[in-house]
């Protein structure tokens, strides 16, 4: 099975059915927010209910955070911190979460 996050990194613009998580949901667009050599960030509305999530993912495909290149891990967290500050200043407080494994609600095997 292809990795939908890797497809987003490579230019795919909409989410489609790929797993039990997306099964039966309408395709929805992703909106790229930030990208560099290490990180890709985009807005997503996975519930089709108007709720938006900002995802910050590594371009390096790894299923678990502990397997990710340490330099990339550090860069991701610096970018997350910067984006959280921008969101909080402009829109109010926000939650930051990391789903690391299926029992932690990680439905896509790309950290």
């Amino acid at each position: 099975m292809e990795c939908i996050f890797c497809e987003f990194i490579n230019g795919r613009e909409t989410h489609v059915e790929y797993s039990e998580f997306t099964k039966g949901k309408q395709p929805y667009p992703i909106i790229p927010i930030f990208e560099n050599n290490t990180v890709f960030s985009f807005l997503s509305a996975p519930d089709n209910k108007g709720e938006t999530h900002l995802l910050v993912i590594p371009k390096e495909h790894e299923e678990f955070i502990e397997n990710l290149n340490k330099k990339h891990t550090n860069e991701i967290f610096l970018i997350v911190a910067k984006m959280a500050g921008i969101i909080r200043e402009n829109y109010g407080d926000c939650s930051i979460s990391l789903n690391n494994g299926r029992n932690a609600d990680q439905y896509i095997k790309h950290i």
Side-chain angles (χ1 to χ4, degrees):
M1 181 182 299
E2 296 287 325
C3 172
I4 190 66
F5 282 0
C6 288
E7 290 185 22
F8 292 161
I9 291 165
N10 290 313
R12 182 179 206 109
E13 296 178 353
T14 59
H15 197 289
V16 294
E17 290 186 18
Y18 268 84
S19 69
E20 63 186 66
F21 176 66
T22 59
K23 188 175 181 180
K25 295 183 180 180
Q26 296 296 316
Y28 53 87
I30 65 159
I31 302 167
I33 298 297
F34 175 82
E35 181 175 10
N36 66 15
N37 291 333
T38 306
V39 174
F40 181 69
S41 177
F42 59 96
L43 290 174
S44 173
D47 297 322
N48 290 321
K49 296 178 184 174
E51 183 176 306
T52 301
H53 297 133
L54 174 65
L55 287 85
V56 180
I57 61 172
K59 286 188 169 181
E60 175 185 354
H61 180 91
E62 287 292 349
E63 184 173 352
F64 304 109
I65 190 75
E66 63 270 23
N67 297 336
L68 193 60
N69 173 301
K70 301 306 177 213
K71 180 180 175 189
H72 294 173
T73 302
N74 291 338
E75 186 171 351
I76 288 167
F77 280 97
L78 289 171
I79 291 167
V80 166
K82 183 172 184 161
M83 289 184 173
I86 291 168
I87 291 168
R88 195 176 54 72
E89 286 176 18
N90 291 282
Y91 303 102
D93 295 345
C94 63
S95 297
I96 298 171
S97 63
L98 173 67
N99 300 354
N100 196 41
R102 182 62 183 94
N103 289 330
D105 292 332
Q106 180 184 6
Y107 293 93
I108 297 172
K109 295 180 178 183
H110 185 129
I111 193 65

